[in-house]
Amino acid sequence: TYRASYLVIPIAVYFIWLRREDVSPMVPAPYGPGLVLVVIFGLIGVVSSAADVLLGQQLAVIGTLQTLLLTTLGWRIFKKLLFPFLFLWMLVPVGDFLIPSLINFVTILTVFGVKLAGVPVEADGNLIKAAANYYSVVEECAALDFLIGALMISLVFGALMYRGTTRRAFLVFAALIIAIVANVFRTTTVIVITHFTEGE
């Protein structure tokens, strides 16, 4: 699911490189209030480590890095490099909590799609009965990887092609919707094709 995370650091470095001419004449001006955030993320890291909460430790590492950059470089430079710095949050695997909701959502939409294709279908939880065949919408069908990939691609494309925040936000929203629709099309066609070809 999170294999795209390997691209996050190279992409962030690339965007920093694109902004090098804007940043190079600027002089770092340490930002004192950032130390408060450094301490907060440090405490989150300590508590998460003591409680053995891996996600909390990961959030603390990225948050500490962000706030150290803000504190040492100052707000003006940090603002110029805001996209590549904030893009580093994509390193944190926070999407797992969405999987149960995504499974339910995909099941509902898949049943709807199969009905539109004229196949008799009913669902019980994440179990779908289409004609004489049974299908289970499992974690891999939730398409969290589709969503993460669409999010990363749309963020990068929006940062490269658009200046306005509204256009970028619309692009990201549209990409996520397309990812969901593509996944439901995939699950629906598996059932429909299996039905009409009798499993062949």
Side-chain angles (χ1 to χ4, degrees), residues 90-150:
M90 291 295 298
L91 289 170
V92 182
V94 295
D96 288 346
F97 73 96
L98 292 172
I99 290 175
S101 299
L102 286 172
I103 288 174
N104 292 335
F105 189 59
V106 169
T107 303
I108 292 167
L109 292 181
T110 300
V111 168
F112 177 74
V114 172
K115 282 181 180 176
L116 283 180
V119 179
V121 62
E122 57 187 51
D124 181 15
N126 67 326
L127 188 66
I128 297 174
K129 182 178 184 292
N133 298 313
Y134 288 88
Y135 306 85
S136 182
V137 180
V138 294
E139 184 175 324
E140 289 76 10
C141 302
L144 182 60
D145 53 345
F146 275 38
L147 290 175
I148 291 172

Side-chain angles (χ1 to χ4, degrees), residues 137-198:
V137 180
V138 294
E139 184 175 324
E140 289 76 10
C141 302
L144 182 60
D145 53 345
F146 275 38
L147 290 175
I148 291 172
L151 178 60
M152 285 184 63
I153 291 169
S154 59
L155 285 172
V156 171
F157 188 84
L160 287 171
M161 298 299 176
Y162 299 130
R163 290 188 179 182
T165 305
T166 304
R167 287 184 177 184
R168 290 176 180 175
F170 179 78
L171 175 67
V172 171
F173 177 75
L176 295 177
I177 295 298
I178 289 169
I180 291 169
V181 170
N183 180 58
V184 171
F185 181 76
R186 177 174 67 101
T187 56
T188 301
T189 52
V190 165
I191 295 174
V192 171
I193 291 171
T194 303
H195 172 74
F196 285 113
T197 63
E198 297 182 350

